Amino acid sequence: MAAVEALIERHQDTLARALTALADRDYWSPYPEFPKAYGENAPAEGKAAFEARLGTAFELPGHPTTGELVAGEASPYGIELGIGYPRVEADALLAAARAAAPTWGAASPAERAAVCLEILARINARSHEFAQAVMHTTGQAYGMAFQAGGPHAQDRALEAVAYAYAEQTRLPERAGWTKPQGKRDPLKLIKDSVVVPRGTALVIGCNTFPTWNGYPGLFASLATGNPVVVKPHPRAVLPLALTVLIAREVLAEAGFDPNTVTLAAEHDREGISKTLALHPDVKIIDYTGSTEFGDWLEENARQALVYTEKAGVNTVVIDSTDDYKGMLNNLAFALSLYTGQMCTTPQNLLIPRTGVATDQGEKSYDQVVTDLAAAIEGLLGDDARAAAVLGAVVNPGVLQRSAAAAGGEYGELALAPRVVESAEFPGATIRTPALIKVEAHKPDDRAVFLSECFGPVFFAVAVDNTADAVELLGRTVREQGAMTATGYTTSPEVERQLVRACLDGGVSLSLNLTGGVYPNQTAAFSDLHGTGANPAANAAYTDAAFVASRFRVVQVRRPA
């Protein structure tokens, strides 16, 4: 197809550079993360495009539909969205995917990669529109919604495409085989290795990071030849609906069936995820969300390869530091960013009662807690700045936990949450973090801090000493799961202990972060998001294992 050949030529340099970046692991991105890079008028144009969709029906030409519209999104910033999406029965979605599968599956890895890169290029060009969509469905502040929902999500998608291409082309399409037979003629065969897609893929999106968490699975499955059904969270449909719209446009222009990618919008708690997940046509499932439903998928969707990212308890061990102020400021920002509504945000800070050695002298447990609370207050003291860091509360459950912390239900408050007012969005629901003092040896306290408390509720856990902190870190990862672990120490021996605990538990560790890199941030092409080695997630974004089982290689042998 001439259109596909043109896409291959257009994007071959980007793909080549992405493949190099996979090996180098240094910083690289083809998608600028600075809003001004997209032109002086791009922010206003993106906002206008977003506002033009408010109160309208979202059209997906040629998409299956019952004729009914689904509209359930509500902006955490208090504005009315009122966007209706086509409702589709599960059988119709899967029938459409089944019809689209042969042509897409027959495309070469290079052709599929080129189509995926064209989709990403068009998404990237509309990053400001995506930022508005992410902001008003997740509560992320605009700056974060632009970066995490736009270029950084696109980086993760490209990373998945590059891995998919590398794994599909690892074996030669055709190879000659010659086995000597002594004085007799050698045995000679020609062997073809054919990439065969696994089958229809289902992506179940989350409320907080619909693109960042949704793109790796979506593009890994698409690039390996599988049709994809995208099932957004009912409160965060628009970012993934825009993605599906653009993907369908590119597929159609390239000569493929646009139903290679479809949207499964539903009313809240309608249950289409379960219906789709159990259907025999669905062979791959990517899910981000609660442990309860993730466990259900792993236990019941036996016909599918299931990739899950679930809940976890992220821990910080504070032993010692040579930059006390830098440590406090780094942690204050990490705890405040997006109101703690990130799967990578630290929850528990383990602090020895015996004190913490710092460049400002020995600091007691109480002093560290007091100083951290002051650092958070200093960061968030101005409402305008606080709103830009915190964003808005994503759902009622987070608000309830914040209120419970304010009421003392979780323990003694070292820092009480407060309401932040937004001049730009008077209807926004914004809360600052709560910092709670608890004791590691008290059973009632352990029952609270050893389970995930998603949102802006954090625990300063008093432990007897650093050895106890390291042991508690390891046990928390093994039993509860974790996406991140963080340590502060100037001791080589304590560093070895922290590394050993994290290797044994299967969680990635950040040490002594005091500058512009934070525990809850990861970079595509360099950092792995999750490991697949503890209960919080059974896969990582992105490594070869994340893509390699989404297809199989079938060989055909014949005499030479």
Side-chain angles (χ1 to χ4, degrees):
M1 288 182 260
V4 180
E5 291 302 318
L7 293 181
I8 291 175
E9 184 176 354
R10 183 182 305 165
H11 297 294
Q12 61 184 358
D13 181 62
T14 300
L15 179 59
R17 293 173 67 196
L19 291 167
T20 299
L22 294 182
D24 291 347
R25 311 310 292 183
D26 199 355
Y27 173 78
W28 177 76
S29 171
Y31 308 122
E33 66 177 2
F34 300 106
K36 292 183 179 179
Y38 294 82
E40 184 179 348
N41 298 325
E45 291 170 354
K47 185 177 183 181
F50 165 74
E51 291 177 342
R53 292 198 178 275
L54 301 181
T56 68
F58 192 99
E59 296 184 1
L60 290 170
H63 193 279
T65 180
T66 62
E68 179 187 354
L69 294 178
V70 174
E73 295 166 302
S75 171
Y77 288 93
I79 70 170
E80 292 292 329
L81 299 183
I83 304 171
Y85 304 93
R87 183 180 176 277
V88 191
E89 297 290 348
D91 286 343
L93 285 167
L94 295 173
R98 194 160 52 245
T103 306
W104 183 243
S108 70
E111 290 171 336
R112 292 195 291 258
V115 170
C116 287
L117 265 62
E118 178 65 17
I119 295 169
L120 288 171
R122 296 190 190 185
I123 289 172
N124 175 254
R126 296 167 66 173
S127 289
H128 280 282
E129 180 183 354
F130 272 83
Q132 293 286 343
V134 170
M135 176 182 180
H136 286 289
T137 54
T138 70
Q140 294 177 33
Y142 187 78
M144 182 177 184
F146 177 84
Q147 290 190 335
H152 294 176
Q154 296 152 22
D155 285 339
R156 284 297 186 189
L158 176 57
E159 181 183 47
V161 173
Y163 267 114
Y165 178 81
E167 292 305 310
Q168 289 174 100
T169 57
R170 190 169 297 282
L171 297 180
E173 291 184 21
R174 172 164 287 188
W177 181 84
T178 302
K179 181 178 181 180
Q181 296 293 296
K183 295 180 180 180
R184 293 174 292 170
D185 290 339
L187 300 176
K188 293 185 177 182
L189 295 176
I190 294 295
K191 302 183 181 184
D192 294 337
S193 296
V194 183
V195 171
V196 179
R198 196 177 190 102
T200 299
L202 170 65
V203 175
I204 303 175
C206 65
N207 193 178
T208 48
F209 289 89
T211 55
W212 200 98
N213 278 104
Y215 280 6
L218 193 169
F219 282 90
S221 288
L222 193 61
T224 49
N226 306 285
V228 183
V229 177
V230 180
K231 191 277 166 190
H233 191 285
R235 288 195 292 267
V237 182
L238 183 56
L240 290 178
L242 288 169
T243 303
V244 170
L245 175 65
I246 293 169
R248 291 171 62 83
E249 290 172 350
V250 173
L251 285 161
E253 291 173 19
F256 297 101
D257 188 335
N259 286 330
T260 302
V261 179
T262 53
L263 183 74
E266 66 165 349
H267 297 293
D268 197 13
R269 303 187 183 279
E270 187 175 343
I272 196 173
S273 292
K274 286 189 174 182
T275 303
L276 289 168
L278 296 181
H279 196 283
D281 279 8
V282 172
K283 301 300 183 184
I284 305 167
I285 300 172
D286 288 275
Y287 167 77
T288 303
S290 71
T291 295
E292 180 182 9
F293 191 61
D295 288 345
W296 183 91
L297 287 170
E298 292 172 357
E299 294 166 5
N300 292 278
R302 298 296 180 89
Q303 86 292 348
L305 191 66
V306 180
Y307 299 91
T308 58
E309 182 187 314
K310 302 175 287 189
V313 177
N314 302 319
T315 301
V316 180
V317 172
I318 302 177
D319 167 71
S320 53
T321 179
D322 58 7
D323 185 358
Y324 186 59
K325 181 179 179 181
M327 179 191 77
L328 293 174
N329 289 340
N330 190 281
L331 288 173
F333 186 82
L335 301 184
S336 301
L337 183 63
Y338 187 33
T339 317
Q341 298 167 140
M342 302 171 68
C343 62
T344 50
T345 300
Q347 175 180 298
N348 296 339
L349 300 98
L350 311 186
I351 307 168
R353 293 188 189 86
T354 52
V356 173
T358 81
D359 57 318
Q360 298 183 19
E362 193 79 13
K363 301 291 183 179
S364 68
Y365 163 83
D366 286 329
Q367 189 63 59
V368 172
V369 176
T370 298
D371 291 346
L372 179 57
I376 295 171
E377 286 185 308
L379 175 67
L380 305 176
D382 175 73
D383 273 7
R385 183 181 184 188
V389 173
L390 294 165
V393 173
V394 69
N395 62 48
V398 172
L399 191 60
Q400 290 168 7
R401 287 186 285 277
S402 177
E409 293 185 26
Y410 298 138
E412 179 186 348
L413 280 168
L415 177 64
R418 69 177 183 86
V419 175
V420 173
E421 301 292 342
S422 169
E424 184 178 6
F425 298 104
T429 303
I430 307 175
R431 298 291 184 274
T432 61
L435 184 61
I436 299 162
K437 298 171 72 173
V438 292
E439 298 279 346
H441 67 278
K442 291 184 177 180
D444 288 348
D445 286 356
R446 292 172 73 87
V448 173
F449 73 77
L450 285 180
S451 60
E452 186 187 47
C453 194
F454 186 73
V457 179
F458 306 103
F459 299 95
V461 184
V463 295
D464 287 337
N465 49 52
T466 297
D468 285 349
V470 174
E471 190 277 331
L472 181 55
L473 163 66
R475 181 146 39 91
T476 301
V477 174
R478 292 191 302 273
E479 296 177 1
Q480 306 298 324
M483 296 301 293
T484 62
T486 306
Y488 289 92
T489 184
T490 57
S491 163
E493 176 56 31
V494 172
E495 180 175 324
R496 283 192 291 270
Q497 293 171 9
L498 287 168
V499 170
R500 186 72 261 164
C502 291
L503 293 177
D504 291 344
V507 64
S508 295
L509 171 66
S510 296
L511 285 167
N512 299 321
L513 298 182
T514 57
V517 176
Y518 302 94
N520 35 357
Q521 296 175 323
T522 60
F525 296 101
S526 184
D527 295 317
L528 295 176
H529 176 72
T531 64
N534 72 67
N538 68 5
Y541 302 160
T542 298
D543 57 13
F546 186 70
V547 302
S549 291
R550 296 172 191 260
F551 65 93
R552 285 290 183 251
V553 176
V554 178
Q555 290 188 315
V556 179
R557 305 185 299 175
R558 56 178 63 87

